[in-house]
Amino acid sequence: MTSHQTSRLIGAIFGLVFVVANAGTLPTAAAVPLRLLAIASFVWLFIALRRARTAPPASGGGGAAPRLFGRGYLLVVAAEVVAAVAGILVINLVLHVPQATVAWIGLVVGLHFFGLAVAWRRQSLRPLAAAMAACGAAGLVLAACGASLAVIATVAGIAPGILLLGSVWWSLRTP
């Protein structure tokens, strides 16, 4: 598997996790089919990724394409982990609004794609970053307004998971 296929697989895994983990806040009649659809989508994407023989995406600028899992990637992921942990601690220990946790994670994961767009010189990641960050921000607003966990998880957890799965599918359509 190439590094580009690996990066897409990571996106599909996190998309699956976002949907499966957050579907548990929904009624069983909605959660079970949603989880099954997410699992089926992931399996389909996994098979498609294994079969794909795509060239690496253009770097979008001059020069050689950056290493996908090099220093830039590590710095972005390190910043993501620090921001996620710090925010979760503040949300739970200071603000006492644990239902906002999923929204914070959605926001941070969305923002990390802006960093990856720079580190990987793949401006095509910006729409995904903006959409996921918007879902997370909307979830934070919903949490501040006292919305139910199911609503927050749908907007800030399930929707970003679908966005991730969809972006991997889209990347396979347009090598």
Side-chain angles (χ1 to χ4, degrees):
M1 194 173 259
T2 69
S3 61
H4 295 284
Q5 288 169 311
T6 301
S7 67
R8 290 171 175 155
L9 178 60
I10 291 169
I13 290 168
F14 277 98
L16 174 65
V17 169
F18 265 69
V19 173
V20 170
N22 289 289
T25 63
L26 301 176
T28 303
V32 170
L34 188 58
R35 284 176 168 158
L36 291 174
L37 184 58
I39 292 166
S41 298
F42 173 78
V43 169
W44 183 88
L45 287 170
F46 180 78
I47 292 167
L49 281 166
R50 294 290 296 162
R51 291 182 178 168
R53 300 286 181 238
T54 60
S59 64
R67 282 186 52 217
L68 287 187
F69 299 108
R71 183 176 180 193
Y73 170 81
L74 294 175
L75 290 173
V76 169
V77 171
E80 176 187 25
V81 169
V82 168
V85 170
I88 290 168
L89 290 173
V90 169
I91 285 168
N92 288 289
L93 301 177
V94 177
L95 301 176
H96 306 288
V97 188
Q99 64 273 23
T101 301
V102 67
W104 178 253
I105 293 169
L107 176 65
V108 171
V109 171
L111 293 174
H112 112 286
F113 279 105
F114 282 115
L116 290 180
V118 172
W120 290 347
R121 292 187 233 144
R122 290 194 54 209
Q123 301 314 307
S124 62
L125 290 174
R126 285 184 172 179
L128 174 64
M132 287 188 68
C135 289
L140 288 172
V141 170
L142 288 167
C145 292
S148 71
L149 182 56
V151 170
I152 296 165
T154 299
V155 169
I158 294 170
I162 293 169
L163 287 168
L164 279 167
L165 290 167
S167 72
V168 173
W169 171 78
W170 187 259
S171 74
L172 291 171
R173 290 186 69 243
T174 56

